[in-house]
Amino acid sequence: MAEIAQENRKRAEEERKRSKEAAEWAKEAKERSKEAEIRLKKAEEMFTGQWGKLVESLVEGKLVELLRARNIEVYHTSARVRGQHGPTQWEYDVVAHNGEEVVVVEVKS
């Protein structure tokens, strides 16, 4: 009988050890998953940011031609014009002007 009890204690100890290891693995897997999620979010932000810049650049490059076709002479364009009025911050994707008229363009990709 004592041998059976000792064997049961040994098995129970092994089960506790395996359970503890499984909990540690699960914790590590959760941390790795969280890290992967952060890396994915950064990659998405980088891609969308770069994509937005590319599309804005393409629009800016063609904007003068498009406006002139509509009889709006433009002498200067600026991309990503930023400013702040009080607590409100703003950004215009592309601004075109000729000294009299201003065209503000919001680019959506």
Side-chain angles (χ1 to χ4, degrees):
M1 233 8 177
E3 290 174 7
I4 293 174
Q6 185 178 5
E7 184 65 31
N8 286 340
R9 281 192 295 275
K10 184 178 177 182
R11 287 182 184 162
E13 182 59 35
E14 288 173 359
E15 273 304 309
R16 280 192 290 276
K17 185 178 177 181
R18 280 191 225 125
S19 178
K20 185 178 177 181
E21 287 173 352
E24 288 174 7
W25 290 341
K27 183 179 177 183
E28 290 172 5
K30 187 175 181 180
E31 289 173 4
R32 284 192 304 272
S33 175
K34 193 180 267 187
E35 290 170 2
E37 190 174 314
I38 290 169
R39 285 193 305 270
L40 178 61
K41 183 173 177 129
K42 285 181 182 179
E44 287 174 350
E45 288 171 357
M46 185 177 78
F47 175 76
T48 57
Q50 294 300 316
W51 180 254
K53 286 179 184 178
L54 171 66
V55 173
E56 288 169 9
S57 174
L58 294 171
V59 169
E60 183 182 14
K62 198 72 168 163
L63 184 60
V64 172
E65 182 182 328
L66 291 171
L67 292 173
R68 286 187 178 158
R70 288 166 178 72
N71 296 320
I72 301 172
E73 284 296 318
V74 173
Y75 303 116
H76 185 75
T77 61
S78 301
R80 295 191 173 215
V81 178
R82 294 184 175 124
Q84 183 171 344
H85 182 70
T88 305
Q89 294 183 350
W90 48 267
E91 177 183 296
Y92 298 129
D93 293 333
V94 182
V95 176
H97 57 88
N98 62 12
E100 293 179 25
E101 299 168 300
V102 175
V103 176
V104 178
V105 178
E106 175 68 22
V107 177
K108 296 293 182 192
S109 56

